[in-house]
Amino acid sequence: SSSSNDTVLIKKHRHTSDIKFGKSSKRILKINHEHYNKLSDLWSLYNHDNNTDTKLFHEHLYMMLSRYHTIQGHGFQAACPEMVFDFFRKYLNVNFECFASPCNTYFGRYCSAFSDVDYNFGSSGSFWNWEPSSGGGSYQANPPFVSTVMRKMAQKIERILGERKDKPMSFVVIVPGWEDDEGYQIMSRSVHMRRRVLISKHD
């Protein structure tokens, strides 16, 4: 049996929970109840054989949150409000996110940075290794706002659209309006571009 020093412990407060590994650990990760419940549902969906094993869920939760805690502040994304995702799903048939995490995924079908800890929560792995369904599909891409990442993403999307001309496929891409950025220019000049919408940062 496990001792309290090698077990993930959860202490619930009014709005948040503290998560730590063992009683003697001084490292505490915090999560609000809404995110906890969302991640529990997501984990249960992809762990059919163990979806009542709360101890295992807490271990996977701690490992995943620890990994993302280590990269706080490295790049950023402007997260879309839920009403935007609703629009994408209703009018553009989007149901997959190319850049997300277990904590912020909206559709529950997504690529993420850390497949080793994210796969327990349904991640399809890294976008750089991912390929879309052979039948096509509609995808949302909101990458970290880092020039090299946006350029690499634009090049991959261009390749996919060029190779799958006979399949119904689209990408809704959210990036900052950096007109001098190479990735922005690749997408703006693309023969596959159907619409570009520039929104003021104040809006």
Side-chain angles (χ1 to χ4, degrees), residues 6 20 40-41 56 60-62 68 83 90 94 96-97 101 104 120 135 152 162 173 177-178 185 193:
D6 60 7
K20 67 177 185 176
S40 176
D41 290 343
L56 183 62
H60 290 166
L61 179 66
Y62 180 82
Y68 281 93
M83 62 183 295
K90 183 176 181 179
V94 173
F96 189 97
E97 298 155 84
S101 76
N104 68 14
N120 293 304
K152 189 177 177 182
V173 181
W178 299 343
Q185 291 178 355
M193 190 182 73

Side-chain angles (χ1 to χ4, degrees), residues 177-194:
W178 299 343
E179 295 186 349
D180 293 334
D181 181 79
E182 187 177 355
Y184 188 94
Q185 291 178 355
I186 290 171
M187 291 183 287
S188 297
R189 295 193 301 260
S190 173
V191 298
H192 305 291
M193 190 182 73
R194 292 294 175 266

Side-chain angles (χ1 to χ4, degrees), residues 140-166:
Q140 183 252 29
N142 181 15
F145 296 163
V146 178
S147 291
T148 53
V149 173
M150 293 190 293
R151 182 189 71 241
K152 189 177 177 182
M153 175 203 67
Q155 291 169 337
K156 177 164 184 174
I157 290 175
E158 274 287 279
R159 174 186 63 76
I160 290 172
L161 292 174
E163 291 175 352
R164 310 281 182 97
K165 291 179 181 179
D166 59 331

Side-chain angles (χ1 to χ4, degrees), residues 2-13 16-31 36 54-63 65-66:
S2 299
S3 73
S4 61
N5 285 324
D6 60 7
T7 301
V8 175
L9 303 174
I10 307 284
K11 182 178 181 181
K12 291 191 173 183
H13 302 287
T16 62
S17 291
D18 295 343
I19 306 175
K20 67 177 185 176
F21 187 76
K23 283 187 176 180
S24 60
S25 174
K26 294 182 179 180
R27 183 184 192 187
I28 297 175
L29 304 173
K30 287 188 175 290
I31 186 172
Y36 176 93
T54 303
K55 181 176 179 292
L56 183 62
F57 164 61
H58 286 164
E59 290 174 356
H60 290 166
L61 179 66
Y62 180 82
M63 289 188 291
L65 292 177
S66 294

